[in-house]
Amino acid sequence: MLAAVISLGSLGCFAAILLAMAARRFAVKVDPRQAALLDVLAGANCGACGYPGCSAYARALVAGTARPDLCRPGGPETLARIATILDMEVATGEPQIAVVRCRGNRRQSRAKYDYQGLEDCRAAQKLAFGPKTCPGGCLGLGSCVQHCPFGALNINEQGLAEVDRDRCTGCGLCVSVCPRQVLALAPARSHIHVQCNSPDAGRKVKNYCHVGCIGCRLCMKTAPECFVMEGFLAKVNYGHEKPTAMADAMERCPHHCIQDLAEPRETATHSPSAEERTS
Amino acid sequence: MKRRSFPGGTHPPQHKSATADTPSEICPLPPELVIPLAQHVGAPAVACVNAGQRVGRGQVVGKPNGFVSVPVHASTSGLVVAVEPRPHPCGAELPAVVLQPDGDDVWAEEYLTQSFHVLTTETMLERIREAGVVGMGGAAFPTHVKLDPPHGKTIDTAIVNAVECEPWLTADRRVLLEQRDKVLTGLEVLQKISGARQMWIGLEDNQTDVAALLAPHCKQRGVGIAVMPAKYPQGAERQLIYAITGRRVPTRGLPMDVGVLVQNIGTVAALTDAVTRARPLIERMVTISGPNVVRPRNLRVRIGTPIAHLLKHCGLREEAAKVLLGGPMMGTAQHTLAVPVLRGTSGVLAFRRQDITAPAGGSCLRCGRCVAACPMHLLPTFIADYARRDALDLAERFAARNCIECGSCSFVCPAGIPLVQSIRYAKGAILARRRST
Amino acid sequence: MEFSKPLLTVSPSPHLHSGMTTSGMMGTVVLALLPACLVAVYLFGLPALQVLLICVVSAAAMEVLWQKATGRRVTVTDGSAAVTGLLVAFNLPPSSPWWLALLGVLLAIVVGKQVFGGLGHNPFNPALVARIVLLVSFPTIMTHWSAPQPGRFFADAVTAATPLSEMQATVTLTGSLPQNPTGFPTGYLLGNMAGCLGEVSALALLFGALFLLWRRVISWHIPASYLGTVIILSSLFWVIDPSRYPNPVFHLLSGGLMLGAFYMATDLVTSPLTGRGMLLYGCGCGLFTVLIRLFGSYPEGVAFSILLMNATTPLIDRYLVPRPFGMSRTGGLP
């Protein structure tokens, strides 16, 4: 009995000593700031920063090899905290969220072909540049939905991607996944957007979409500093919005491209003009 | 006579009886020809005609751009209506010379026949390039480049690919049966240019009649006839070389790395016209077939003929629901019938709505059929899985880039998973990533 | 509407399909299992029929319930639940109570398959998971064998010992094999022995297996390497001491070896993908089967050995990768 106690006890002690020595000898030196950073980071391990997980980003921050403003889901508060921990000056940006710049559902925009294959927008895009005639329109197959780590995207009954503005953290993963760049990041404060992504001239757009931007510039004329043109496509000049003027512009837009995404969306009210009816 | 094959592969139904023994017809000229400037691997040709200009049959309308490029010619005499982007089989709208035939079909130049024996290899290669000869099995690689391997690569075996393993297609067979003399002369031209000591014609065992017809002529010229068991994809370059010579082309390499040269039988026939008559490649044999075609047959089609015209000529049973260019295993489904026939177009297949079945898209049961079918000895289900999860490193490690996209894996998959589509996506993403880093 | 011009269908190549579907394969397996089902009902009567029906019906029902409850797509029409149900029934004693059959199916469908993500995602053979868990939880009921009573459908069950349990008991007691096991060898072939519902008739199982091989649902690799290894190993021991170790024919025909080699080990989801991998897997199964039968405390080793080898399948698939065509030995591969 005694022999058993002594032998097992000394075995245990020996093992404990070995473990303690190993813990001391093989200890990994970790910068204490790393743990603090890990606390303030968003913690979603979404990869938006470009690093495989929050701890990897924290390590890179401490090593000085990463910029401090890469954690978009964390927003400006996280940036400020990171700056405090690392003792650096940073310019805080504005929180951003994703916007789907397309309203062309199957009834209102022309399909190029009947697609059968993998339910993935990137795969479909490889087949004759996608099943939608409009080169910039949303394909609605859900690649963005699959890649959103926050569940902020879904395909609605119109067959188009839709962002849940409350859940979106602006990480930007959907933007890099979308093969047509339909999704873009815009300031979270702004809720009026031009929901079109077609680079084509108006005549060509009318051939394939009833709700696409035709580049008529009425919005610019109604609300001069609130919109800019990128080729034939109008865009909201974020940061220079004037609500009343923009409300006017929304009314006057012939294809109703300009939408207020904070309001519940009205169902399609556009009726085709005579020339569009014959196309 | 050889009997060896290659490991893997599948046996899709052949569907060749509808067109195999029907003599080919000349397809009448359409009201408008659309001749794309990009019909080959390499830099597209550059247009050298303008709208309003009259051109003759065989006149150069697009000049080659660089070494790996060939000129593009007018397929008939007529008026150049425009040089503008038009639907192209690749899915985009690419620059094309739009030609309105004048009905006279007059050659632009006088073409004299000359025996190739008096010509040097350089002259022959130059003529092949000027004639715009490219690989007519579908790859459309400029032939003058293929026949001119870089220093240090000697060719000792030349294989003429008449295997035509894709279902429905019989264009190569009709070329062999109807243009035998052209083919035989072409063999001799190939032999002279390549300097190969050993020549072979590859055929499948469903073409023993062709083999018998060719036998005395080939024996005379020292060309062997290799008859292999009908299996898909026996006509794929690497598998064909392995079956006939037993050599394996290294994965990042080309057939010339094992001393072999492979040419499609149509290309070989085109060599004759190019070398002995300096005539450009403006016409080719195309199989029009499929369950939706009323009179399936092979047609001799001018390059640039829209497939709508071909289908009208052969008749459609019902409204076209799906149209393929090429064979059903590797061909491309088209979204418009306005696309033209290119130099590499071997077939136009039309299907009805009832012939189309959407892929079931279930979950992989790890049955291993795709592994058994893959002629490149890959693990298609793993690669496809990694592709769908964007695990490009793993996809690359499992040799995604070695995939020849033959379609055998998707063909046998009981769960109906679009494996090739996923693997193709992985290959593209891996290459894009390499280019950007 | 203006945009309603009829569209062409565009899909990626290939545009042909062989026509073999998952449900087609499962249907073939069910057909292959029918001879053994009929023999079981003929030999063991009403109880066997009861077990079979309960298992198949409840398997399909449980799969539908689970998939609906977890908001997944219902895939019961692919037939895999029916096959799992049948195989669970085959692995139960023929006069099992109804609740044992239900529990077995629950274990197989839910624990063995659905919690992992459904068809294609389970690491272990679901029917064997059920068998082993039941064996360990209810050892008496799971080893309560009935004697075959051919043609007597409504007869009361009569207890009997299986050849393997008889062998193990005799060897443990006397140190040598029983002198003349009843019914060996023809009886074993036809099924005149006690055992699990589906494992008694080697002949019926063989018919079904040949059908499966002909239809290319299973390949020859696993049965060949499994049975081959068993033959070789058991012959080795038999030659060493024939009084203590049974001959290879006895091994082949007794217990669940035929069922295991052709139907359980060949389960597509849990066996390796490549030919070489399958051969290695089969050898491993054979090795463990013989070892457990001869030296383990359980009389039957098939179920345990297959489950053990199921655990090695991902490893085999990861490392026993075929060399891509044209790749040299040094070409980087996992």
Side-chain angles (χ1 to χ4, degrees):
Chain A
M1 170 73 184
L2 191 60
V5 172
I6 292 175
S7 54
L8 277 178
S10 37
L11 210 56
C13 282
F14 180 63
I17 292 169
L18 256 181
L19 281 171
M21 283 168 58
R24 204 69 86 66
R25 170 86 171 73
F26 297 115
V28 176
K29 266 193 111 56
V30 176
D31 193 317
R33 293 179 297 172
Q34 207 171 306
L37 282 168
L38 202 53
D39 268 334
V40 306
L41 287 175
N45 284 317
C46 66
C49 53
Y51 291 90
C54 302
S55 34
Y57 182 45
R59 212 174 311 132
L61 278 172
V62 158
T65 52
R67 282 172 33 194
D69 60 349
L70 295 176
C71 180
R72 283 195 289 266
E77 301 152 17
T78 302
L79 178 58
R81 288 193 202 132
I82 293 175
T84 317
I85 295 173
L86 293 177
D87 198 20
M88 42 162 64
E89 294 275 322
V90 284
T92 47
E94 241 199 273
Q96 298 194 304
I97 57 172
V99 174
V100 178
R101 296 177 303 178
C102 180
R103 275 186 65 219
N105 63 21
R106 276 173 223 116
R107 238 179 13 95
Q108 294 167 308
S109 68
R110 192 193 291 275
K112 195 190 288 179
Y113 57 81
D114 185 16
Y115 173 65
Q116 271 181 11
L118 216 51
E119 290 280 306
D120 185 275
C121 307
R122 296 170 300 176
Q125 178 71 1
K126 288 199 171 268
L127 279 183
F129 299 93
K132 208 169 200 174
T133 307
C134 171
C138 172
L139 296 175
L141 289 167
S143 294
C144 52
V145 176
Q146 282 169 30
H147 282 82
C148 177
F150 304 99
L153 279 159
N154 74 294
I155 304 293
N156 59 20
E157 335 76 56
Q158 310 271 317
L160 298 169
E162 197 173 54
V163 178
D164 183 338
R165 291 171 69 86
D166 296 318
R167 282 199 175 187
C168 178
T169 62
C171 72
L173 279 169
C174 56
V175 176
S176 49
V177 160
C178 178
R180 289 169 154 227
Q181 281 92 53
V182 178
L183 285 155
L185 288 178
R189 278 183 314 152
S190 310
H191 46 91
I192 298 181
H193 304 278
V194 175
Q195 280 201 295
C196 179
N197 191 34
S198 169
D200 289 332
R203 202 175 317 157
K204 215 172 172 190
V205 173
K206 281 193 187 165
N207 261 337
Y208 55 66
C209 187
H210 292 320
V211 291
C213 174
I214 51 174
C216 64
R217 295 177 173 232
L218 265 173
C219 49
M220 272 183 79
K221 292 178 192 144
T222 317
E225 295 116 41
C226 305
F227 294 92
V228 288
M229 294 301 291
E230 268 183 21
F232 295 106
L233 182 61
K235 281 199 161 145
V236 170
N237 192 6
Y238 298 113
H240 295 91
E241 293 119 303
K242 295 195 178 64
T244 21
M246 288 180 86
D248 273 336
M250 271 174 70
E251 201 105 352
R252 297 188 67 189
C253 174
H255 268 192
H256 303 283
C257 309
I258 312 174
Q259 294 282 331
D260 187 343
L261 293 183
E263 301 278 311
R265 170 118 44 97
E266 58 188 75
T267 40
T269 52
H270 176 81
S271 42
S273 61
E275 62 181 81
E276 286 169 7
R277 238 178 275 128
T278 52
S279 65
Chain B
M1 295 268 172
K2 276 224 164 46
R3 279 282 153 199
R4 176 169 47 193
S5 179
F6 60 93
T10 59
H11 297 271
Q14 295 187 5
H15 293 303
K16 300 206 187 222
S17 50
T19 58
D21 296 312
T22 317
S24 69
E25 289 172 11
I26 296 182
C27 178
L29 285 168
E32 184 182 84
L33 284 166
V34 177
I35 305 169
L37 292 165
Q39 289 188 41
H40 47 264
V41 169
V46 175
C48 56
V49 293
N50 298 306
Q53 190 174 334
R54 295 214 152 264
V55 292
R57 178 178 172 188
Q59 180 169 339
V60 174
V61 295
K63 290 211 165 76
N65 189 3
F67 180 53
V68 185
S69 184
V70 293
V72 170
H73 306 84
S75 308
T76 185
S77 56
L79 175 70
V80 175
V81 167
V83 178
E84 63 185 16
R86 282 293 184 102
H88 186 281
C90 76
E93 292 202 349
L94 295 179
V97 173
V98 184
L99 183 61
Q100 195 177 63
D102 56 15
D104 300 327
D105 208 20
V106 174
W107 286 101
E109 293 172 28
E110 280 285 309
Y111 297 96
L112 301 165
T113 311
Q114 190 176 25
S115 168
F116 72 90
H117 294 291
V118 307
L119 299 172
T120 60
T121 306
E122 286 73 31
T123 316
M124 287 198 277
L125 283 173
E126 190 52 46
R127 286 195 179 177
I128 290 171
R129 180 187 208 214
E130 280 167 13
V133 180
V134 297
M136 292 170 71
F141 188 81
T143 305
H144 71 276
V145 177
K146 205 172 196 184
L147 290 176
D148 191 14
H151 268 298
K153 304 277 184 195
T154 38
I155 306 292
D156 65 86
T157 306
I159 299 176
V160 176
N161 190 350
V163 171
E164 202 155 41
C165 51
E166 285 260 19
W168 277 293
L169 301 186
T170 51
D172 288 347
R173 175 184 162 79
R174 294 315 307 173
V175 164
L176 268 173
L177 287 174
E178 296 171 13
Q179 301 175 14
R180 194 184 59 207
D181 293 325
K182 241 197 227 183
V183 168
L184 292 170
T185 312
L187 280 176
E188 295 174 22
V189 170
L190 183 64
Q191 216 270 326
K192 180 165 181 195
I193 298 180
S194 67
R197 278 179 294 119
Q198 179 73 65
M199 298 258 303
W200 291 97
I201 296 188
L203 287 166
E204 277 191 331
D205 61 11
N206 53 17
Q207 303 232 62
T208 40
D209 56 337
V210 175
L213 271 165
L214 286 176
H217 305 278
C218 286
K219 191 159 171 199
Q220 203 182 348
R221 290 165 175 80
V223 176
I225 300 185
V227 179
M228 289 151 296
K231 189 164 70 163
Y232 179 82
Q234 184 62 78
E237 218 169 43
R238 288 158 198 271
Q239 280 63 39
L240 183 61
I241 294 173
Y242 178 73
I244 294 182
T245 66
R247 301 178 203 174
R248 293 172 193 250
V249 177
T251 36
R252 291 280 163 271
L254 294 165
M256 62 172 149
D257 294 327
V258 290
V260 180
L261 175 71
V262 181
Q263 289 286 182
N264 172 266
I265 190 89
T267 317
V268 166
L271 287 180
T272 307
D273 271 341
V275 166
T276 62
R277 295 155 86 181
R279 273 211 180 149
L281 176 54
I282 53 170
E283 181 182 273
R284 69 155 296 148
M285 187 80 78
V286 181
T287 307
I288 320 297
S289 189
N292 201 7
V293 176
V294 175
R295 299 184 321 128
R297 60 204 51 233
N298 282 282
L299 296 178
R300 298 200 302 274
V301 182
R302 296 290 171 95
I303 307 297
T305 305
I307 59 178
H309 181 78
L310 297 176
L311 291 173
K312 203 165 92 166
H313 179 80
C314 290
L316 282 175
R317 292 214 163 97
E318 294 167 18
E319 177 125 39
K322 186 169 178 181
V323 177
L324 302 178
L325 279 188
M329 297 298 283
M330 288 183 75
T332 47
Q334 297 300 313
H335 67 90
T336 165
L337 296 180
V339 292
V341 164
L342 304 180
R343 285 175 168 148
T345 307
S346 45
V348 177
L349 303 176
F351 298 89
R352 307 160 295 189
R353 194 136 300 278
Q354 71 232 60
D355 301 314
I356 305 172
T357 36
S363 32
C364 169
L365 3 155
R366 303 171 54 91
C367 65
R369 281 163 175 248
C370 57
V371 178
C374 180
M376 296 301 280
H377 301 175
L378 305 174
L379 296 171
T381 181
F382 279 11
I383 304 174
D385 187 37
Y386 295 141
R388 281 194 294 273
R389 292 193 273 144
D390 280 306
L392 297 179
D393 285 328
L394 279 167
E396 194 169 358
R397 257 203 294 168
F398 276 84
R401 288 171 63 193
N402 294 18
C403 170
I404 59 175
E405 298 178 30
C406 68
S408 300
C409 51
S410 301
F411 178 77
V412 294
C413 178
I417 300 172
L419 293 165
V420 179
Q421 193 181 13
S422 302
I423 300 177
R424 205 178 275 143
Y425 168 74
K427 286 170 75 178
I430 291 169
L431 279 171
R433 201 172 57 160
R434 271 178 187 242
R435 270 197 295 265
S436 65
T437 49
Chain C
M1 198 71 226
E2 301 80 18
F3 294 140
S4 60
K5 196 175 61 168
L7 295 169
L8 288 170
T9 300
V10 174
S11 54
S13 66
H15 308 278
L16 277 182
H17 190 265
S18 60
M20 178 61 93
T21 58
T22 306
S23 48
M25 286 173 80
M26 296 299 158
T28 310
V29 176
V30 170
L31 275 179
L33 291 171
L34 268 184
C37 283
L38 294 171
V39 167
V41 173
Y42 174 70
L43 290 176
F44 299 109
L46 182 64
L49 185 63
Q50 192 178 302
V51 169
L52 280 166
L53 285 175
I54 292 177
C55 283
V56 175
V57 173
S58 59
M62 282 189 208
E63 181 157 289
V64 174
L65 282 171
W66 173 271
Q67 288 176 328
K68 283 220 155 96
T70 52
R72 290 170 190 274
R73 197 166 58 122
V74 174
T75 59
V76 76
T77 43
D78 64 18
S80 55
V83 170
T84 307
L86 261 184
L87 288 175
V88 170
F90 273 38
N91 277 289
L92 294 173
S95 38
S96 301
W98 62 270
W99 55 265
L100 191 76
L102 270 182
L103 189 60
V105 170
L106 183 75
L107 285 166
I109 296 288
V110 175
V111 176
K113 190 170 141 198
Q114 289 303 333
V115 292
F116 291 105
L119 183 64
H121 296 95
N122 46 296
F124 295 106
N125 188 316
L128 288 180
V129 167
R131 176 175 180 159
I132 295 304
V133 173
L134 288 178
L135 180 64
V136 170
S137 318
F138 306 101
T140 346
I141 311 181
M142 282 296 284
T143 49
H144 180 96
W145 312 108
S146 333
Q149 299 178 68
R152 299 182 58 199
F153 190 72
F154 293 105
D156 287 329
V158 174
T159 328
T162 65
L164 280 175
S165 58
E166 195 190 334
M167 174 204 92
Q168 189 190 43
T170 319
V171 169
T172 322
L173 274 176
T174 66
S176 60
L177 295 168
Q179 287 300 44
N180 272 325
T182 34
F184 180 80
T186 22
Y188 288 14
L189 254 183
L190 296 172
N192 204 356
M193 67 181 195
C196 284
L197 199 151
E199 66 188 24
V200 288
S201 172
L203 209 61
L205 290 170
L206 208 56
F207 275 139
L210 286 173
F211 178 61
L212 282 181
L213 282 167
W214 175 63
R215 298 285 290 154
R216 305 243 179 116
V217 171
I218 62 174
S219 71
W220 58 268
H221 300 81
I222 295 177
S225 52
Y226 194 166
L227 295 176
T229 310
V230 168
I231 292 174
I232 293 173
L233 269 181
S234 59
S235 306
L236 201 68
F237 283 106
W238 179 59
V239 160
I240 293 174
D241 189 354
S243 67
R244 206 183 155 77
Y245 301 116
N247 61 65
V249 182
F250 177 85
H251 273 286
L252 279 184
L253 298 179
S254 61
L257 184 57
M258 286 306 232
L259 179 66
F262 287 106
Y263 300 91
M264 312 301 294
T266 54
D267 174 46
L268 297 168
V269 178
T270 52
S271 55
L273 283 174
T274 59
R276 276 192 304 168
M278 286 196 263
L279 288 173
L280 180 63
Y281 172 86
C283 286
C285 288
L287 172 70
F288 288 120
T289 301
V290 173
L291 285 181
I292 296 177
R293 277 186 178 184
L294 296 182
F295 306 110
S297 46
Y298 280 98
E300 176 54 283
V302 169
F304 290 110
S305 36
I306 296 177
L307 282 180
L308 265 173
M309 290 312 289
N310 283 162
T312 64
T313 297
L315 207 64
I316 293 176
D317 277 337
R318 178 83 174 71
Y319 286 105
L320 224 61
V321 174
R323 184 151 17 113
F325 186 84
M327 201 166 239
S328 62
R329 256 176 240 280
T330 51
L333 243 227

